[in-house]
Amino acid sequence: MMNTYWIKHKSKINKIKLLCLLFLNILLFAYCSKDKSNIDVSVIENQAAIKFENDVLNFHTIRSGEKVTGSFKFKNVGDNDLVIGDVSANCGCTVADYPKKAIKPGEEGMISVTYDSKGTSGIRIEKLVTVSSNTNPSRTVLKVIADVE
């Protein structure tokens, strides 16, 4: 019973599928051809520039279970206020603290990083710390290294 219904209405179903695909293509084309000239250039114009003294923080040799803290010193070398939106590490054993207020052009700041070696021994660690800010590029990756005994 079902097979005969399918055979009778197969051409109608195919036409409906074709119309749906045509409609979706028209929508896609209309979306892709939107005028892109209304991009907000104020975001580009208000970018800052960040310069780190070092992009690697080396704790050298530490004991297993030891917590060590160091910092990345930076300067806003741009013409606009530097705003750091987030600083995140690639694991929970590394925690960063950073300035929450805007850094004026020419001013300096520090990002403090604490590494907890609890549960780690006999290896060299390399942890990544990503700084997200109003710079170009918007992300800067810093590295923390140590030899854990």
Side-chain angles (χ1 to χ4, degrees), residues 83-102:
V83 179
I84 298 176
D86 187 44
V87 177
S88 60
N90 64 341
C91 87
C93 59
T94 306
V95 179
D97 187 33
Y98 60 95
K100 308 300 190 276
K101 65 178 184 100

Side-chain angles (χ1 to χ4, degrees), residues 114-143:
T114 301
Y115 169 69
D116 185 355
S117 65
K118 181 180 176 183
T120 306
S121 65
I123 63 168
R124 178 180 191 91
I125 60 98
E126 291 188 11
K127 303 300 177 184
L128 301 179
V129 177
T130 303
V131 180
S132 300
S133 61
N134 63 327
T135 57
N136 186 14
S138 63
R139 289 193 172 98
T140 304
V141 179
L142 309 171
K143 190 184 290 188

